[in-house]
Amino acid sequence: MTDIPTPKPGKVLVPAEDLRTFAAALLEKGGLSPEHAATTADVFVWAALRGVDSHGIARVPAYLELLAKGVANAKPQIKVESGASAVAVLDADRAPGPVALSAAAEEAVTRARAAGIAAVGVRRTVHTGAIGYYVSKIAEQGLVGIAFVAGMPNMGYTGVKGAAVATSPLAIAVPAEAHAPLLLDMATATIALGKIRQAKASGTPLPEGAAAAEDGTPTTDPEKAVMPLPLGGAKGSGMSLAFELLTSVLVGAPIFAGFHSDDPQGRKHRQNALLIAIDPAAFGDADSFTAAVDGTLSTLKGLAPADGAEGVFYPGERSASVAVQRSEKGVPVAPKVWRELTESAGRFGITPPEAQ
């Protein structure tokens, strides 16, 4: 049995391909080139298919706003700088994250094919989206994908009063043979900011140790909570700080220090990333590697489930099952999101797809 979410009452179902075409059309009207609009829409629909609705089609209205305000650059001049055969820095020129990180993933794969391993840093992008998408694209090529992202501080740090570091995520994708790839995609926070907003809207208490008030005091009151707390306390906050060093500082675009300085530009929204691709063929036989990955995953799934557990699952397995179901039956879209999308379509003169 798999944990497959079903549409809540009031949600509409839209075929994935129709939703992808619709989102791309809206983003193109928002100023992106046809190619960049299609890339960004693909990232959103990928997340929506896998049940990650917070990073799915609901992001389209927010991206249209980022483009309209000039926070995201609709016509970026993306440049790739290289100081070594297996290393590159992609200056995104404030391109939307899906555009910048998709290009970085392709660059990483190309360089890893030649060198066995490659690292591509991304400087000055805007909201990276679901980073599991980019490492999954690397895994589709038979390589291992690893990604780190650093953003604007919005999370507590152990021992610090107020927001200090970002909810910086990590993603790892490992290709398999018969199984869906392993996909670990996690933030360094105990709870997402979106979950805090949802709890506030519904009046539902938050879990203990998940969120904090403005002064950094832990709270379960959604009315007082303004930021998430780091996953595992000092472990999560330490990981976030490390990701800032491995991304922002490494590519010469620090975020943390500027945010906590007196420079108003330090609060300007931006994100940085580091994508790594590893070619298993550089370590031995690539086919033997994926076969051994399958063996490892099969061994895990063969272990005795704990009492009350629905089964034993590896990272990414259940979201892959969700993607299969939603590909067949359609992607559920919340009424508020669908209303925003159709209103944008009306302004742009676009006909929305039929929804069930």
Side-chain angles (χ1 to χ4, degrees):
M1 181 176 180
T2 56
D3 183 17
I4 299 177
T6 55
K8 294 181 180 179
K11 287 192 174 184
V12 300
L13 284 175
V14 185
E17 193 54 45
D18 290 349
L19 200 57
R20 185 179 288 106
T21 301
F22 182 40
L26 289 171
L27 291 163
E28 188 175 346
K29 288 291 186 179
L32 293 180
S33 69
E35 179 184 1
H36 288 176
T39 295
T40 305
D42 195 53
V43 175
F44 294 158
V45 174
W46 178 89
L49 279 169
R50 298 181 72 94
V52 189
D53 296 321
S54 61
H55 285 64
I57 206 68
R59 287 288 178 177
V60 173
Y63 271 55
L64 290 174
E65 185 175 355
L66 289 174
L67 291 164
K69 291 182 176 180
V71 176
N73 187 357
K75 307 295 181 186
Q77 298 296 316
I78 297 175
K79 299 177 182 178
V80 177
E81 307 163 2
S82 179
S85 61
V87 177
V89 175
L90 185 149
D91 191 305
D93 190 26
R94 294 183 296 106
V99 174
L101 270 70
S102 291
E106 292 180 8
E107 187 73 25
V109 168
T110 299
R111 290 173 181 264
R113 290 287 190 207
I117 185 170
V120 178
V122 178
R123 178 197 297 138
R124 295 196 306 145
T125 188
V126 179
H127 192 267
T128 51
I131 65 169
Y133 173 90
Y134 314 109
V135 293
S136 292
K137 285 297 180 182
I138 292 173
E140 285 178 5
Q141 301 298 314
L143 281 67
V144 174
I146 304 172
F148 308 100
V149 169
M152 305 301 290
N154 57 0
M155 180 177 77
Y157 185 95
T158 303
V160 174
K161 183 178 180 179
V165 292
T167 57
S168 301
L170 156 72
I172 301 172
V174 182
E177 197 170 80
H179 290 286
L182 177 143
L183 175 58
L184 175 67
D185 188 346
M186 56 171 280
T188 50
T190 300
I191 191 172
L193 278 167
K195 294 292 185 182
I196 295 176
R197 288 192 288 267
Q198 288 175 0
K200 186 174 295 186
S202 62
T204 306
L206 293 160
E208 291 280 353
E214 189 170 0
D215 64 357
T217 304
T219 181
T220 60
D221 186 347
E223 291 297 328
K224 295 180 179 178
V226 299
M227 62 182 166
L229 287 170
L231 181 67
K235 295 178 181 179
S237 56
M239 287 174 66
S240 176
L241 186 62
F243 295 170
E244 164 73 3
L245 299 178
L246 290 173
T247 58
S248 307
V249 175
L250 191 64
V251 299
I255 294 176
F256 177 84
F259 182 89
H260 293 291
S261 73
D262 295 328
D263 184 358
Q265 290 299 309
R267 298 293 177 111
K268 186 176 181 180
H269 178 78
R270 59 208 186 277
Q271 293 188 352
N272 301 306
L274 180 70
L275 274 67
I276 300 170
I278 302 171
D279 188 352
F283 292 81
D285 181 65
D287 292 337
S288 296
F289 171 74
T290 52
V293 170
D294 268 344
T296 301
L297 299 180
S298 294
T299 299
L300 174 73
K301 292 191 64 59
L303 298 178
D307 293 341
E310 295 182 350
V312 179
F313 305 98
Y314 62 87
E317 181 183 2
R318 283 182 283 191
S319 60
S321 296
V322 173
V324 171
Q325 185 196 56
R326 290 189 171 187
S327 293
E328 295 173 351
K329 298 183 177 181
V331 178
V333 181
K336 179 178 181 293
V337 174
W338 186 246
R339 183 172 62 252
E340 291 175 344
L341 293 172
T342 53
E343 287 175 354
S344 295
R347 292 197 306 272
F348 292 139
I350 297 172
T351 303
E354 292 187 9
Q356 300 176 16

